Amino acid sequence: MKKTTGTDRSITSHWRPATQAVRGGTWRSEHGETSEALFLSSGYTYDDAATVAARFAGEAEGMTYSRLQNPTVAMLEERIALMEGAEACRAQASGMAAMTAALLCQLSAGDHVVGARAAFGSCRWLLDSLLPRFGIECSVIDSTDDAAWEAAIRPNTKVFFFETPANPTLDVVDLAHVCGLAKAHGITSVVDNAFATAALQRPMEFGADVVAYSATKLMDGQGRVLAGAICASQQWIEEVLLPFQRNTGPNISPFNAWVVLKGLETLSLRAHRQSENALALGRFIETRVPRILHPGLPSHPRHELAASQMDAFGPIFAFEVADRAQAFALLDALELVDISNNIGDARSLMCHPASTTHAGMTQEDRDAMGVTEGLLRINVGLEDIEDVKEDLVRALKAAGL
Ligand SMILES: *Cc1c(COP(=O)(O)O)cnc(C)c1O
């Protein structure tokens, strides 16, 4: 394996994002392949015993076992790190593997976490159910209330954990304020950036310590594989994450890493076009639905803030109809848009969060989060937006709107 200029930070750090997305992190075998090679290998062999001993001792570079290193996975990690503006990245098996690892690797019994109330259902489960079982206290707050973050800090607060925009209510968190507050109190901020990705929002520019991903969403972008990633400083990755990751094994398959690597080449194009489509659709249906939650529309309570920290507003928004019956009638009338709980896909997909992604929560928690019975979430894809508009008009009519 030969490392290319794409692995030399003295060169890649000067590359612009579009170049990093296509060339960052590339290694080449002796065949000189143009597209990155897929190394489906769990282990490695060595010329002699001294070589492997030196690698295990950390005295020589080289692979030893795919729970620790894999060339295809290493290419993905370097490319994501470059796009994020992070010193280092480690890929994970899924978004939830990434969130779990990012929290558990740094928390111990007696610690306290402040988390955002509006969040992906499984992220809330980590705070509400998993961490408390291990003696880690969690407070869940309205993440859009800037003062609530400071008020929730306790002497044992170790981590702030939130997503922005949040799934599925599109709550927007003030990154500079919350990450700055964390820094001032010696708290580690962990930002779930799945809805935006580095193509639209780079939380580290606003002071985030750790950026965690479901790469299943926009990074793959074509609905093929589960994947995740954690970006942070080199020191944090080496000293905090790796002891946990190497011994617990939430690693991504090299095959899935390769699929995401290819997805990253087109991420920026897709994320921007899908954002344009989502904004066009949002404007089009705004007057046709009772309530819309879209960070790109002036009607969103934090539209100005979203515009100041995002390059574009992303492919996902939500809107509200009267109740579950009307929401289901609308979904059932769709001809082009699929009923699906995935997001970030090149296809337009719509789902009813209360009965799917957030079905595991109590009604009370859903109410507090704003996940009402009439809430629908849409991921706007790469289709001709006029076709998507026509489908929505037909479905709205069928639902009596
Ligand atoms: C989907 C999602 C996750 C979980 O990712 P998986 O890849 O499905 O495990 C976490 N956070 C957010 C915001 C998500 O949308």
Side-chain angles (χ1 to χ4, degrees):
M1 289 297 280
K2 215 173 87 204
K3 298 188 173 186
T4 69
T5 51
T7 62
D8 182 346
R9 282 283 177 114
S10 71
I11 295 171
T12 56
S13 59
H14 301 296
W15 284 353
R16 292 162 185 84
T19 309
Q20 291 171 337
V22 176
R23 295 186 171 271
T26 305
W27 298 19
R28 287 204 171 107
S29 78
E30 69 272 28
H31 303 298
E33 64 280 351
T34 33
S35 174
E36 298 78 3
L38 169 52
F39 287 89
L40 278 180
S41 183
S42 49
Y44 305 87
T45 60
Y46 316 92
D47 288 341
D48 50 65
T51 300
V52 56
R55 288 188 192 175
F56 270 84
E59 291 157 2
E61 262 195 55
M63 310 275 154
T64 54
Y65 188 61
S66 281
R67 180 151 39 75
L68 313 184
Q69 318 93 357
N70 176 278
T72 308
V73 175
M75 289 192 258
L76 173 67
E77 292 169 340
E78 179 64 3
R79 189 166 296 174
I80 294 175
L82 286 171
M83 294 171 77
E84 198 64 47
E87 285 178 14
C89 167
R90 284 296 179 276
Q92 313 291 324
S94 68
M96 287 322 300
M99 301 310 151
T100 306
L103 294 172
L104 280 183
C105 74
Q106 59 176 320
L107 290 165
S108 304
D111 290 342
H112 174 241
V113 178
V114 181
R117 188 170 67 192
F120 183 63
S122 294
C123 292
R124 276 295 300 269
W125 183 85
L126 296 181
L127 300 182
D128 299 341
S129 300
L130 183 74
L131 297 182
R133 274 175 31 204
F134 298 96
I136 299 159
E137 301 175 288
C138 298
S139 306
V140 170
I141 60 159
D142 174 358
S143 62
T144 66
D145 178 352
D146 290 341
W149 288 96
E150 182 149 26
I153 295 174
R154 299 178 191 168
N156 57 339
T157 304
K158 277 277 170 64
V159 169
F160 280 177
F161 178 47
F162 62 93
E163 30 190 278
T164 182
N167 191 350
T169 49
L170 286 301
D171 285 17
V172 173
V173 179
D174 187 332
L175 281 166
H177 171 74
V178 176
C179 296
L181 191 64
K183 270 221 165 59
H185 288 82
I187 294 165
T188 302
S189 52
V190 178
V191 181
D192 178 344
N193 199 33
F195 263 42
T197 76
L200 304 180
Q201 172 176 275
R202 289 161 301 283
M204 284 182 174
E205 291 175 0
F206 299 89
D209 298 307
V210 179
V211 179
Y213 278 106
S214 169
T216 312
K217 312 292 170 54
L218 269 171
M219 287 196 194
D220 171 19
Q222 287 144 90
R224 300 167 293 193
V225 298
L226 292 182
I230 301 172
C231 300
S233 69
Q234 187 77 35
Q235 188 184 9
W236 191 90
I237 293 281
E238 278 174 17
E239 293 175 10
V240 183
L241 177 66
L242 283 186
F244 178 90
Q245 181 173 348
R246 293 175 152 205
N247 294 297
T248 59
N251 302 59
I252 190 170
S253 143
F255 179 82
N256 289 2
W258 180 83
V259 172
V260 177
L261 198 50
K262 305 314 290 176
L264 290 181
E265 294 181 5
T266 56
L267 171 65
S268 180
L269 289 176
R270 288 183 285 103
H272 281 97
R273 173 59 74 86
Q274 289 183 237
S275 295
E276 273 171 35
N277 281 352
L279 196 52
L281 187 69
R283 288 192 181 120
F284 178 72
I285 68 163
E286 183 164 29
T287 53
R288 294 170 164 85
V289 295
R291 183 163 175 249
I292 189 164
L293 304 161
H294 190 317
L297 295 175
S299 59
H300 188 283
R302 299 200 117 184
H303 169 63
E304 299 292 330
L305 175 64
S308 74
Q309 56 190 32
M310 302 181 79
D311 297 342
F313 301 100
I316 302 144
F317 69 90
F319 61 95
E320 224 165 35
V321 297
D323 51 24
R324 180 179 287 220
Q326 192 166 47
F328 277 25
L330 192 155
L331 285 171
D332 292 344
L334 293 167
E335 287 179 3
L336 184 150
V337 177
D338 291 303
I339 303 174
S340 173
N341 44 288
N342 198 11
I343 49 171
D345 200 287
R347 289 158 197 76
S348 291
L349 309 172
M350 204 190 290
C351 87
H352 179 249
S355 61
T356 58
T357 52
H358 293 70
M361 300 176 68
T362 64
Q363 179 74 45
E364 196 189 347
D365 282 345
R366 275 199 299 274
D367 288 344
M369 243 173 99
V371 179
T372 61
E373 285 292 303
L375 190 76
L376 288 164
R377 186 194 68 191
I378 183 165
N379 168 75
V380 184
L382 291 174
E383 302 95 342
D384 189 313
I385 195 61
E386 297 308 318
D387 289 326
V388 181
K389 283 181 189 169
E390 282 172 21
D391 200 33
L392 258 286
V393 166
R394 172 173 43 245
L396 286 164
K397 228 178 244 152
L401 281 156

